[in-house]
Amino acid sequence: IANSKFVKNRIKKTYNVDSMVIYPPVDTNKFILEEEKEDFYFTASRLVPYKKTKLIVEAFNQMPNKKLVVIGSGEEFESIKNIAKENIVLLGYQEDIILIDHMKKAKAFIYAAVEDFGIVPIEAMSCGTPVIALDDGGTAETVIDSVTGVHFKNQTKEDIMLAVEKFETLNFDYKRISELTQSYSVERFKKEFLDFVNSKIELNNKCK
């Protein structure tokens, strides 16, 4: 079992073995639709280098008229704090209730990491919040360009800035964004995983 097509391709390349994609479960009942968005962008993650949060902050440093809120803690917190300009708000670690409130109200969620799948962008979209994300890894599959968000090609501040500019020319249906995330629900995951296991048991029994 692979948790994305991205990982499925890597399994095939590394081991020359085919696998079935079963996307991980996302608690879409916890991250509920909010159609009243506010005028700020949002990102949340562990503040470690591969998450590229500093890159997002560097991009927004060059867009002083756009507000960015960052939630998360980690080894890069101080270095990000030292470069962040006045339009960027660093909240550090926050409990789920605060994180979800920001996720629901943000005009867009920004995500620049290469992930095998990437659950947090799905949580944002479950809230009806569009996602501006890298067109690589899991988010290349889960974010639909110009429908549930906007893709950018490279991990550069210039590409992030261009994606934000594109985002602001588009109109998004928040309800539709939320509805599309239901395909990642916990119930769906349980059914697909159980069906997969049962199919292998059945195949094994036939081979005896």
Side-chain angles (χ1 to χ4, degrees):
I1 295 173
N3 66 350
S4 65
K5 295 175 185 175
F6 178 64
V7 172
K8 176 186 175 75
N9 291 337
R10 196 162 68 214
I11 290 170
K12 182 66 174 178
K13 180 179 179 180
T14 305
Y15 302 108
N16 195 29
V17 172
D18 291 324
S19 56
M20 179 177 179
V21 175
I22 299 180
Y23 288 121
V26 179
D27 190 353
T28 53
N29 295 320
K30 182 178 180 181
F31 296 85
I32 59 176
L33 172 66
E34 173 59 69
E35 297 189 75
E36 296 297 322
K37 305 299 184 184
E38 298 181 7
D39 190 20
F40 69 92
Y41 292 88
F42 179 56
T43 190
S45 72
R46 289 181 294 112
L47 301 183
V48 294
Y50 92 91
K51 291 289 189 178
K52 300 296 181 183
T53 306
K54 181 181 282 190
L55 183 68
I56 296 170
V57 169
E58 289 171 345
F60 275 82
N61 276 342
Q62 297 192 26
M63 298 183 286
N65 61 327
K66 303 184 194 307
K67 180 180 178 181
L68 173 69
V69 177
V70 180
I71 285 181
S73 61
E75 64 187 73
E76 287 197 319
F77 182 84
E78 288 300 324
S79 62
I80 290 173
K81 181 180 178 181
N82 289 337
I83 67 167
K85 294 186 177 179
E86 292 182 357
N87 59 313
I88 297 163
V89 180
L90 298 177
L91 297 180
Y93 170 80
Q94 296 292 327
E95 299 290 341
D96 279 358
I97 188 171
I98 302 297
L99 186 148
I100 293 171
D101 185 60
H102 282 82
M103 193 170 278
K104 289 165 64 175
K105 293 177 180 177
K107 65 194 299 183
F109 183 82
I110 317 286
Y111 203 72
V114 179
E115 296 280 11
D116 289 348
F117 176 68
I119 288 179
V120 179
I122 306 296
E123 294 171 342
M125 290 187 288
S126 185
C127 297
T129 302
V131 173
I132 299 172
L134 187 68
D135 189 19
D136 195 3
T139 49
E141 302 168 42
T142 59
V143 177
I144 306 170
D145 193 63
S146 300
V147 177
T148 64
V150 172
H151 283 146
F152 55 92
K153 289 292 182 184
N154 304 297
Q155 289 175 314
T156 67
K157 59 186 177 183
E158 291 79 14
D159 273 32
I160 293 172
M161 292 167 65
L162 287 171
V164 171
E165 287 181 17
K166 177 181 176 180
F167 169 82
E168 295 196 342
T169 68
L170 302 172
N171 293 313
F172 290 91
D173 184 336
Y174 303 136
K175 186 176 180 181
R176 185 184 179 201
I177 291 172
S178 182
E179 287 173 347
L180 287 171
T181 65
Q182 297 309 305
S183 61
Y184 302 103
S185 69
V186 174
E187 292 75 19
R188 180 275 321 165
F189 172 78
K190 288 179 178 178
K191 182 181 185 304
E192 289 186 4
F193 201 96
L194 185 61
D195 287 348
F196 178 86
V197 171
N198 286 336
S199 70
K200 298 305 175 185
I201 292 172
E202 183 178 347
L203 180 63
N204 185 60
N205 289 337
K206 287 181 179 179
C207 292
K208 288 182 179 178

